[in-house]
RNA sequence: GGUCCUAUCGUCUAGUGGUUAGGACGCUGGCCUCUCACGCCGGUAACACGGGUUCGAAUCCCGUUGGGACUACCA
């Protein structure tokens, strides 16, 4: 458990120029697209700047936080390939540190105990609302110098006038009138710290100097700045990235389909394609659309983050996924494809066979799931013919072609793609038939379907023995049909 | 309601005072072709509106409208 001692060492060891970012999810659900993008931006920036990336779990809401959510977040980050240099820290284990800082604030006169009841607060809010005013704490206890009592909360002594300005690297300066702010609570009556206090204390003690987070936090920022000021600490760099919206322009939610990042994994998206897509949703690098992970690290910058909210478009993600599948090294694809093949009941080992399979399918698959389904015929021991395909192409006319092919393939010394193609050319010359006429029956014999990768490629990947067996099976199928 | 953010094709975006407003996804016409894809060539479609500033505004300013966020003893 990281006590204040650890933190002290940390502060000493880190160079002031080192960029330190963080991702602080609260474990009240799965990691969703917006959160993933925030994590990604922070991670990319840290990696780009050769800085450090810290993971912190904000679980002070004991009612809503669950271990299942913590696990789900880890799983999602792992899939995304986002690793951290420090942490995970758990806020629930740091209460003593927060309390220490709260006391510091009280002792320095920047915070005070307040004994106003919740009922009184409700009333205050109601009357303010009724008269069209902003619901704010009226400062009843601000100068009472109250001592700690059982049900007291601690409030920060916020400035009464002037302005607080957020220097935002994405949105530029955002000015808040201090009259809009009130003496908000930093410590609850049960002695637990509130969000704004915990965040600031964490960011200070963890030496976070760059905070990239969602737009939804801009209104919290002046409050946090007040705490930084009260603690006499310098401010980090703030950058607020716009929200990710659903197709109806509302905040992304379950209505719009997959909400958890891991659902995209299950649908057959490649993590690199997914991060490529979400990073482009709000960030750009000229006209470039396709990025590898390394390119992203090399090119990512805060300056090119956009200012307006973006709509999540599954179609574009799909297209990008197809590009990544097509352009990635088959060895890498193998790893990600395996679970989908296994799920269909197919076992295989790494090596030239599966890589050959992938090479015939990578320009034909938009997802890994689709690829696995289309690869089925490579793994099946017996091919079942689609009715239409068989009746159209596995006919008496085809028998001679298939038999000729079998004979020529059997005579082949090297079963490479070029030699296989030459066999077909030979048959074309002998029979005067066009390739299409020959290829379709062969395709059906090999795959059971009329749609597949090129027949030369399939023959090559399948190998001599399996290929010839399938062709022979088709010949006898035709013979059986006739009789 | 109040505060704050925001506004270029349907969507993601490039653009930082002078461009035929570019790219990508989608949709679409064609080429290539052993099927299906891939690829290639082409088409479709945008500066929300109104005022300024300027010789000149998508670009700067001010309104309007639309969208979003926040407004807790949640995070």
């Amino acid at each position: 458990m990281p006590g204040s001692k650890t933190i002290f060492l940390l502060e000493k060891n880190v160079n002031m120029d080192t960029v330190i970012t963080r991702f602080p999810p609260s474990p009240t659900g799965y990691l969703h697209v917006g959160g993933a993008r925030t994590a990604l931006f922070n991670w990319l920036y840290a990696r780009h700047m050769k800085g450090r990336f810290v993971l912190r779990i904000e679980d002070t809401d004991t009612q809503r936080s669950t271990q299942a959510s913590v696990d789900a977040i880890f799983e999602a980050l792992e899939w995304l390939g986002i690793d951290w240099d420090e942490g995970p820290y758990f806020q629930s284990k740091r209460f003593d540190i927060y309390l220490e800082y709260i006391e510091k604030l009280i002792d320095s006169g920047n915070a005070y105990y307040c004994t106003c009841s919740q009922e009184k607060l409700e009333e205050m809010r109601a009357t303010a609302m009724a008269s069209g005013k902003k619901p704010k704490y009226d400062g009843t206890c601000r100068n009472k110098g109250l001592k700690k009592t059982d049900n007291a909360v601690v409030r920060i002594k916020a400035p009464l006038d002037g302005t607080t300005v957020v220097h935002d690297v994405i949105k530029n300066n955002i000015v808040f009138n201090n009259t809009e702010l009130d003496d908000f609570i930093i410590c609850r009556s049960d002695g637990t710290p509130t969000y704004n206090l915990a965040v600031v204390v964490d960011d200070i003690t963890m030496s976070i100097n760059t905070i990239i987070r969602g737009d939804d936090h801009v209104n919290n920022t002046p409050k946090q700045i007040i705490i930084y000021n009260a603690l006499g600490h310098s401010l980090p760099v703030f950058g607020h990235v716009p929200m990710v919206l659903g197709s109806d322009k509302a905040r992304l939610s379950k209505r719009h389909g997959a909400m958890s990042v891991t659902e995209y994994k299950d649908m057959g998206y490649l993590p690199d394609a997914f991060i490529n897509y979400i990073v482009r949703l709000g960030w750009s690098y000229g006209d470039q659309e396709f990025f590898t992970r390394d390119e992203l690290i090399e090119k990512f910058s805060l300056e090119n983050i956009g200012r307006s909210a973006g709509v999540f478009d599954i179609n574009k993600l799909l297209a990008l996924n197809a590009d990544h599948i097509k352009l990635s090294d088959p060895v890498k694809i193998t790893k990600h494809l395996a679970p989908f093949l296994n799920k269909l009941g197919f076992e295989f080992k790494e090596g030239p066979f599966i890589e050959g399979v992938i090479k015939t399918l990578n320009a034909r698959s938009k997802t890994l799931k689709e690829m696995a389904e289309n690869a089925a015929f490579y793994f099946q021991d017996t091919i079942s013919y689609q009715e239409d395909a068989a009746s159209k192409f596995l006919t008496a006319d085809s028998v001679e072609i298939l038999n000729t092919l079998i004979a020529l393939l059997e005579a082949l010394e090297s079963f490479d793609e070029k030699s296989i193609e030459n066999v077909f050319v030979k048959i074309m010359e002998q029979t005067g038939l066009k390739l299409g006429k020959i290829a379709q029956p062969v395709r059906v014999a090999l795959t059971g379907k009329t749609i597949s990768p090129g027949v030369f490629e399939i023959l090559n990947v399948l190998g001599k023995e399996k290929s010839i067996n399938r062709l022979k099976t088709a010949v006898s199928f035709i013979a059986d049909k006739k009789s």
Side-chain angles (χ1 to χ4, degrees):
Chain A
M1 173 182 147
S4 48
K5 216 178 203 170
T6 323
I7 302 303
F8 180 65
L9 281 172
L10 206 156
E11 272 180 324
K12 282 199 111 177
N13 288 343
V14 171
N15 176 324
M16 281 303 283
D17 297 334
T18 306
V19 164
I20 308 177
T21 65
R22 39 73 150 182
F23 177 56
S26 72
T28 54
Y30 301 108
L31 185 64
H32 53 88
V33 176
R37 195 185 56 164
T38 303
L40 182 60
F41 280 3
N42 279 287
W43 181 80
L44 283 174
Y45 188 59
R47 292 288 170 266
H48 175 78
M49 297 298 286
K50 306 249 187 301
R52 299 170 66 78
F53 176 67
V54 178
L55 180 64
R56 177 170 80 223
I57 306 296
E58 305 209 328
D59 57 349
T60 53
D61 184 345
T62 48
Q63 294 299 306
R64 296 196 300 149
S65 298
T66 65
Q67 184 59 39
S69 298
V70 173
D71 295 341
I73 289 166
F74 288 165
E75 187 196 343
L77 289 175
E78 190 190 343
W79 179 66
L80 290 168
I82 295 178
D83 55 351
W84 50 93
D85 306 305
E86 225 179 279
Y89 293 114
F90 289 83
Q91 288 191 324
S92 55
K93 294 184 181 158
R94 294 167 53 83
F95 278 24
D96 51 337
I97 301 173
Y98 307 132
L99 262 28
E100 193 183 303
Y101 276 81
I102 289 166
E103 262 160 43
K104 231 186 255 188
L105 252 11
I106 294 169
D107 290 347
S108 64
N110 286 298
Y112 59 90
Y113 289 106
C114 166
T115 53
C116 295
S117 68
Q118 299 213 31
E119 295 75 46
K120 191 183 164 192
L121 261 21
E122 282 299 329
E123 210 182 294
M124 217 182 273
R125 231 188 309 265
T127 41
M129 290 283 244
S131 59
K133 286 212 248 120
K134 192 166 179 87
K136 283 169 48 174
Y137 177 61
D138 67 0
T140 303
C141 301
R142 183 174 167 112
N143 295 308
K144 282 187 181 168
L146 261 25
K147 293 285 169 223
K148 182 178 177 138
T149 49
D150 260 4
N151 277 321
V153 298
V154 179
R155 290 181 180 275
I156 192 87
K157 207 176 261 185
L160 270 10
D161 49 30
T163 57
T164 296
V165 16
V166 179
H167 299 284
D168 191 299
V169 287
I170 296 166
K171 297 178 186 290
N172 290 322
N173 292 355
I174 307 171
V175 182
F176 291 87
N177 245 311
N178 287 338
T179 51
E180 294 296 329
L181 277 14
D182 68 349
D183 289 354
F184 56 92
I185 293 170
I186 56 174
C187 184
R188 300 185 188 101
S189 51
D190 66 358
T192 59
T194 58
Y195 166 72
N196 285 117
L197 187 279
V199 166
V200 173
V201 171
D202 280 340
D203 286 337
I204 287 175
T205 53
M206 294 171 192
S207 303
I208 306 297
N209 54 25
T210 309
I211 297 177
I212 309 301
R213 77 222 312 193
D215 231 347
D216 48 340
H217 283 287
V218 293
N219 288 294
N220 278 324
T221 310
K223 294 184 183 180
Q224 291 169 199
I225 289 177
I226 287 170
I227 298 176
Y228 274 100
N229 289 156
L231 253 13
H233 199 276
S234 61
L235 263 25
V237 170
F238 288 105
H240 290 95
V241 315
M243 301 275 93
V244 178
L245 309 176
S247 50
D248 61 356
K249 304 240 183 170
R251 202 172 170 168
L252 200 64
S253 74
K254 221 146 210 154
R255 285 197 302 285
H256 309 291
M259 189 173 146
S260 162
V261 165
T262 48
E263 285 180 52
Y264 291 95
K265 172 188 180 184
D266 298 340
M267 287 188 280
Y269 289 91
L270 238 23
D272 284 15
F274 190 78
I275 67 169
N276 188 163
Y277 175 69
I278 61 176
V279 79
R280 275 288 288 105
L281 192 57
W283 175 84
S284 61
Y285 189 79
D287 279 342
Q288 191 172 343
E289 300 283 353
F290 184 95
F291 297 87
T292 61
R293 184 175 294 264
D294 289 343
E295 257 180 307
L296 247 20
I297 291 172
E298 182 197 327
K299 293 173 173 169
F300 186 77
S301 65
L302 263 26
E303 298 82 72
N304 293 323
I305 294 176
R307 269 158 302 156
S308 53
V311 174
F312 187 86
D313 179 6
I314 190 83
N315 266 325
K316 191 146 181 176
L317 168 60
L318 230 206
L320 222 31
N321 199 47
D323 286 343
H324 277 269
I325 287 176
K326 191 167 54 201
L327 268 20
S328 292
D329 181 354
V331 176
K332 189 170 143 192
I333 299 288
T334 303
K335 196 179 73 195
H336 292 101
L337 180 64
F340 293 93
L341 248 14
N342 293 340
K343 203 170 172 184
L344 293 177
F346 305 130
E347 300 296 331
F348 65 93
K349 39 183 193 300
E350 291 172 23
F353 174 68
I354 187 65
E355 283 156 35
V357 168
I358 290 169
K359 281 180 201 159
T360 67
L361 255 18
N362 64 178
R364 299 176 157 80
S365 314
K366 290 190 186 301
T367 67
L368 297 169
K369 189 166 179 276
E370 193 185 316
M371 182 182 266
E373 285 158 4
N374 291 337
F377 73 86
Y378 280 115
F379 299 93
Q380 285 157 347
D381 292 329
T382 53
I383 298 298
S384 58
Y385 306 118
Q386 274 182 2
E387 212 171 301
D388 290 357
S391 61
K392 189 165 179 192
F393 296 108
L394 261 25
T395 61
D397 301 349
S398 314
V399 173
E400 198 186 329
I401 296 169
L402 291 173
N403 278 330
T404 312
L405 182 62
I406 291 165
L408 290 171
L409 288 179
E410 269 175 339
L412 227 44
E413 303 222 342
S414 167
F415 211 70
D416 60 277
E417 219 177 301
K418 188 66 198 163
S419 308
I420 292 166
E421 184 177 349
N422 288 338
V423 166
F424 278 78
V425 171
K426 207 173 198 173
I427 298 175
M428 283 163 69
E429 284 166 355
Q430 280 175 5
T431 61
L433 290 171
K434 303 242 276 185
L435 184 54
K437 285 283 177 195
I438 308 169
Q440 278 311 76
V442 176
R443 188 186 313 285
V444 177
L446 260 20
T447 71
K449 294 178 287 189
T450 54
I451 295 172
S452 82
V455 291
F456 310 151
E457 311 172 65
I458 296 175
L459 256 3
N460 172 253
V461 171
L462 236 29
K464 192 170 183 173
E465 195 189 329
K466 276 189 186 171
S467 294
I468 288 172
N469 281 343
R470 290 188 188 192
L471 292 171
K472 283 180 175 169
T473 304
V475 170
S476 45
F477 170 84
I478 296 169
D480 290 350
K481 199 162 70 171
K482 239 178 11 188
S483 62

